[in-house]
Amino acid sequence: MAGVYIHIPFCHKACHYCDFHFVTHLRDKPQLVEALKKELELQRDFFGSDRVETIYFGGGTPSLLSEPELRQLIESVFEIYDVIDEPEITLEANPDDLTDEKLRQLKKAGVNRLSIGVQSFFDEHLKWMNRTHSAQEAENALKRAQDYDLSNITLDLIYGLPKLNMEQWLENVQKTIALDIPHISAYNLTVEQGTPLAYQVKKNRVQIPQDEKVLAQFTYLMDELKSNDYVHYEISNFARECEYSKHNSSYWLGKKYLGVGPSAHGYDGSDRYFNPADNKRYLEKIGKRELPAKWENTTNQDKLNDYILTRLRTIWGLDYGFIEEHFGSKELDRIIKEVKPFLNRQEVEHKAGILTLTRKGKFIADHIAASLFKIDN
């Protein structure tokens, strides 16, 4: 099985924390949609005999696409590739875009899953982040989507905000549960280089919360969602049983995925590539019927470290048998040796050849993964 990711690099305006590739004008949108269709055609042989099971529109703000534009792109995937019956088709959306008419259009085009960037149910936080919607618009959009039988929703929240107190965070989580949202993605605010937030932090205009406060919010999130039957299946992702994101899971499970559009990444099952984060360069390349992809020179060490980084974050964990088969017994022996301190501190656990994070380990997931990386001497 495989997935298709389509990057839509347009937004109403820039959120202060975001470092994804986008522009805030729409003048190139018609040309870009045509270029995306051409890139899909140029990549016709990417999957070989593998069938496509997911299509994901990310960005940017894909909800800025019109119904004809969205339908054309979905139809192109079906025409060019071997797609399973009833694939998961996800579209990222801003709450303020999800009007009655827009939801009708999305459903008509074939979208069956929404990823809605709520981030917070408090207007003061949304204003600080430079979001385009209000808290009430977010709640209305969620209920409206459910009314249109688009209830397969993942809702994004952000914790670790400078002015987010514990009471507000509790209300964010509890409101999400009360709204019967099946999938929740919750991210700690990170300061990305080159963003307005990074500039504000550098100038001491913004103080990022201390680790203790952030960990308290993460702890509450885990506890509250577990008590309401959500599975913590990846560090930042929680879902009810059988409602995991199929598309995002393909990244963590090492499945093939084709990325089209400026800044999109792809993986052919062995190596990774990336497209330039530049709309003009992307359009020029596709206009010449040339693929803009630049392939990474991936070594066996890179592949092992990538496996450790992605799989350890999930409930599927590190498979000792897989490591031995693909990277050799020497590497497996090294990992078993390196992981002993974490086992002794009960930050990881080993069962039936699978190594997974414990609750304690989830607080230091990146540190544990880095400690298991293979590093050339």
Side-chain angles (χ1 to χ4, degrees), residues 10-42:
F10 303 104
C11 283
H12 293 292
K13 60 181 182 178
C15 298
H16 289 160
Y17 56 85
C18 181
D19 71 335
F20 294 146
H21 170 62
F22 65 91
V23 294
T24 54
H25 63 78
L26 302 181
R27 58 177 175 265
D28 296 328
K29 186 157 72 84
Q31 298 95 307
L32 189 109
V33 170
E34 290 302 312
L36 292 170
K37 290 158 59 179
K38 288 180 183 177
E39 187 182 4
L40 288 167
E41 172 64 33
L42 291 170

Side-chain angles (χ1 to χ4, degrees), residues 58 119 150 225 231 294 336 360:
Q119 318 308 0
L150 280 168
L225 293 184
V231 180
K294 291 187 177 181
I336 291 173
K360 285 174 63 178

Side-chain angles (χ1 to χ4, degrees), residues 182-184 186 218 221-222 225 230-233 235-239:
H183 189 289
I184 300 164
F218 184 51
L221 175 73
M222 290 194 295
L225 293 184
Y230 287 84
V231 180
H232 193 182
Y233 74 104
I235 288 292
S236 301
N237 289 276
F238 306 76

Side-chain angles (χ1 to χ4, degrees), residues 143-362:
K143 293 177 179 178
R144 195 179 296 122
Q146 292 167 329
D147 289 341
Y148 277 88
D149 198 26
L150 280 168
S151 57
N152 189 2
I153 294 169
T154 180
L155 182 153
D156 286 357
L157 293 174
I158 296 180
Y159 60 94
L161 296 171
K163 295 185 178 181
L164 174 66
N165 61 47
M166 197 63 183
E167 291 73 22
Q168 292 170 324
W169 178 239
L170 267 58
E171 186 170 336
N172 276 338
V173 175
Q174 290 166 358
K175 178 165 284 191
T176 301
I177 295 168
L179 286 165
D180 196 27
I181 304 301
H183 189 289
I184 300 164
S185 296
Y187 303 99
N188 179 24
L189 179 71
T190 55
V191 182
E192 303 291 354
Q193 187 176 356
T195 61
L197 176 60
Y199 177 81
Q200 292 170 356
V201 170
K202 183 179 179 180
K203 295 295 183 180
N204 292 318
R205 296 174 184 172
V206 170
Q207 299 296 320
I208 298 300
Q210 294 182 344
D211 289 346
E212 292 79 6
K213 181 178 179 180
V214 175
L215 289 176
Q217 292 175 356
F218 184 51
T219 300
Y220 175 79
L221 175 73
M222 290 194 295
D223 291 345
E224 190 68 9
L225 293 184
K226 182 179 180 180
S227 66
N228 283 275
D229 300 322
Y230 287 84
V231 180
H232 193 182
Y233 74 104
E234 195 272 342
I235 288 292
S236 301
N237 289 276
F238 306 76
R240 299 225 168 95
E241 200 71 54
C242 301
E243 300 202 62
Y244 304 165
S245 165
K246 294 178 183 177
H247 184 84
N248 289 342
S249 294
S250 70
Y251 299 154
W252 306 318
L253 294 175
K255 296 182 182 180
K256 292 181 184 178
Y257 61 92
L258 171 67
V260 301
S263 82
H265 290 225
Y267 175 63
D268 68 356
S270 176
D271 296 303
R272 301 186 186 279
Y273 71 85
F274 60 93
N275 286 344
D278 184 312
N279 289 6
K280 183 178 179 182
R281 284 177 56 202
Y282 173 79
L283 289 170
E284 287 174 351
K285 277 283 189 180
I286 297 297
K288 298 176 184 177
R289 297 193 64 80
E290 297 176 4
L291 287 172
K294 291 187 177 181
W295 287 86
E296 297 177 347
N297 183 21
T298 311
T299 65
N300 210 44
Q301 174 178 304
D302 294 330
K303 292 175 182 177
L304 172 59
N305 292 346
D306 190 47
Y307 176 79
I308 293 169
L309 181 65
T310 54
R311 285 292 291 261
L312 193 60
R313 295 174 60 89
T314 73
I315 58 172
W316 301 290
L318 302 187
D319 185 328
Y320 281 3
F322 180 91
I323 293 172
E324 184 172 27
E325 178 183 353
H326 291 84
F327 303 104
S329 57
K330 183 179 178 181
E331 282 307 315
L332 176 59
D333 290 343
R334 180 190 63 81
I335 289 171
I336 291 173
K337 178 182 177 181
E338 298 289 349
V339 83
K340 280 184 179 179
F342 302 107
L343 281 166
N344 293 338
R345 293 193 295 268
Q346 297 182 330
E347 292 162 338
V348 295
E349 61 182 3
H350 176 249
K351 292 181 181 178
I354 304 294
L355 186 77
T356 55
L357 297 170
T358 64
R359 176 187 166 85
K360 285 174 63 178
K362 289 173 182 176

Side-chain angles (χ1 to χ4, degrees), residues 5-11 18-23 56-64 90-94 115 156 260 262-264:
Y5 172 83
I6 301 175
H7 189 81
I8 307 300
F10 303 104
C11 283
C18 181
D19 71 335
F20 294 146
H21 170 62
F22 65 91
V23 294
Y56 191 102
F57 290 88
T61 307
S63 49
L64 290 174
T90 305
L91 180 128
E92 294 180 353
N94 279 349
S115 177
D156 286 357
V260 301
S263 82

